[in-house]
Amino acid sequence: MATSIGTETLFVPFEHTDTPKVSYGLPFPEACKKHVESTFHASRVFVIASASLSKNTHALTELQSILGAKVVGTRIGMKPHTLWSDILQIVKEASEVQADCLITLGAGSLTDAAKIIALAIANKVTSFDDLATLPNDSPTRKENVIPSSIPIISIPTSLSGGEYSPFAGGTNDHTHRKHGFATPNKGPALVILDATLSKTTPASVWLSTGIRAVDHCVEALCSLQGKPAADKTAEEGLKLLVPGLLRCKHDVEDVEARHQCQLGVIESMKAVGLGVPLGASHGIGHQLGPLGVGHGETSCILLPAVCKYNAKHKANLDRQEKALNILLEMPEVRKALDSVHLTAADADLGGVLNVIIRELGMPRSLKDVGVGREKLDGLAANSLHDRWCVTNPVPLKKKEQVLEILEMVVE
């Protein structure tokens, strides 16, 4: 339940855990100062900030100014894919200054990094070999991984939703393999939402990561292992996200729509958090990342095609119809369909999602993001190892199945 404190709203969104708490209503520097002091009683804060945000806005300097001497270290920017080399460098710096709180200011990759950094500090990691003892999918994982104890405050500027999950992914520079860090990993203790700050986010990042959250909702609704509670939160997420994203596309200054999108992300993550297995848009998308494609962009490209593939094989037609009807009830969606002369009677779920994503101006093919046909075979083979390809309504167990989907989005 939300509680208002002055102009701040503070609430716990998830029933199964008391973290993270979510704060909105105050400007992010003011909210951060309040919770650093009164919630976490921290005095040695380490900030991990987006390079573009730090270069192009005053967001970092505003945060540093209000926290003053409590800021004992700052890292500006990280390389893509959360490289272990970057993580180890920040672990060293944060340990040397005895940081007692980590703050991330920027998009989701920084939040992933902070989760791994906090876990690495707790386990006194100093090398690649040490870090390799922590991932859940590592052959050298040690038996007794110590949970992280340093609290993380996340101030997200995208809609990727990683701040609501304890899971984090990091890439070993030596092997170029991305590893998952989960139990006993911890997510942020506090998420501060500031819709005004989000106006600094490039539209392509904001809108594409929003479609990633839409992907969470759609694949949860379309899962053959869906649950009523997850269906409800996924529906609520769609009702917030899709109109909000379309409004943001047409008016970047629409702060109310931006806040609506931020709340929609929470609903999308509730659906995922209830344990509903997702599908091939996520499964194949995980393997597109190492090819230089952002998570949001993978959903823009793959989600409509995966829905079309599953419908072709008549795997989840009733579930798809439910998701389709939710979208068709939205005036903003009907307007987008009218603009391309597509009637509700002629629309299917994949087709409607295609119209929405095109209306947002997001990439719709692998060619759009620089992935050529020569990459398809390896991409398909790697995708078969992802658990969410197996839990797709049509389980993907053969490379040819993945290639059928990829052929739909090559150009």
Side-chain angles (χ1 to χ4, degrees), residues 218-240:
V218 170
E219 290 216 311
L221 281 167
C222 291
S223 173
L224 296 180
Q225 300 176 54
K227 302 175 182 179
D231 287 356
K232 181 179 178 181
T233 59
E235 179 175 347
E236 289 303 311
L238 285 180
K239 288 178 176 178
L240 289 166

Side-chain angles (χ1 to χ4, degrees), residues 28-46:
F28 77 90
E30 187 179 335
C32 203
K33 179 178 188 294
K34 172 185 174 179
H35 290 285
V36 163
E37 294 176 352
S38 63
T39 301
F40 302 111
H41 309 288
S43 59
R44 306 186 66 78
V45 174
F46 195 98

Side-chain angles (χ1 to χ4, degrees), residues 15-30:
E15 293 181 2
H16 61 284
T17 176
D18 59 359
T19 58
K21 290 183 171 66
V22 176
S23 164
Y24 67 82
L26 293 176
F28 77 90
E30 187 179 335

Side-chain angles (χ1 to χ4, degrees), residues 132-374:
T133 66
L134 303 184
N136 294 63
D137 57 358
S138 172
T140 59
R141 176 180 166 87
K142 64 181 184 179
E143 288 188 12
N144 299 309
V145 177
I146 300 169
S148 54
S149 59
I150 298 176
I152 300 169
I153 299 175
S154 174
I155 309 169
T157 57
S158 74
L159 298 168
S160 59
E163 58 272 12
Y164 300 109
S165 167
F167 178 82
T171 302
N172 185 328
D173 310 44
H174 295 168
T175 64
H176 305 293
R177 179 181 171 185
K178 192 166 189 176
H179 290 272
F181 297 75
T183 307
N185 210 24
K186 295 180 181 179
L190 176 69
V191 177
I192 297 173
L193 302 178
D194 188 329
T196 300
L197 173 66
S198 79
K199 292 194 296 182
T200 64
T201 304
S204 60
V205 174
W206 182 257
L207 298 174
S208 67
T209 55
I211 291 297
R212 184 64 169 181
V214 168
D215 197 350
H216 298 335
C217 297
V218 170
E219 290 216 311
L221 281 167
C222 291
S223 173
L224 296 180
Q225 300 176 54
K227 302 175 182 179
D231 287 356
K232 181 179 178 181
T233 59
E235 179 175 347
E236 289 303 311
L238 285 180
K239 288 178 176 178
L240 289 166
L241 284 160
V242 174
L245 290 169
L246 290 168
R247 285 171 57 186
C248 288
K249 171 63 177 178
H250 298 295
D251 182 4
V252 295
E253 297 294 325
D254 191 339
V255 174
E256 181 184 345
R258 288 177 172 275
H259 182 58
Q260 181 175 315
C261 290
Q262 290 175 324
L263 297 180
V265 171
I266 295 174
E267 297 302 316
S268 79
M269 293 303 292
K270 284 182 183 178
V272 175
L274 287 167
V276 175
L278 301 180
S281 178
H282 283 76
I284 302 171
H286 289 158
Q287 304 308 318
L288 265 180
L291 299 181
V293 184
H295 282 171
E297 292 177 326
T298 69
S299 293
C300 293
I301 295 165
L302 290 166
L303 180 59
V306 169
C307 291
K308 292 271 192 185
Y309 176 85
N310 289 331
K312 174 186 174 183
H313 293 274
K314 297 180 171 54
N316 60 347
L317 295 179
D318 57 334
R319 303 285 293 176
Q320 288 207 30
E321 184 177 4
K322 180 176 183 175
L324 172 63
N325 289 335
I326 293 168
L327 293 173
L328 291 177
E329 290 175 358
M330 303 174 191
E332 297 87 351
V333 171
R334 293 198 300 271
K335 182 179 178 181
L337 294 180
D338 288 343
S339 71
V340 296
H341 310 292
L342 180 63
T343 67
D346 294 330
D348 60 15
L349 180 58
V352 171
L353 289 167
N354 177 58
V355 170
I356 292 168
I357 295 166
R358 287 192 184 279
E359 180 73 12
L360 295 175
M362 293 295 98
R364 287 293 299 113
S365 72
L366 294 174
K367 182 179 179 180
D368 289 343
V369 293
V371 176
R373 184 174 290 277
E374 73 281 359

Side-chain angles (χ1 to χ4, degrees), residues 58 90 103 317:
H58 299 295
I90 299 172
I103 298 175
L317 295 179

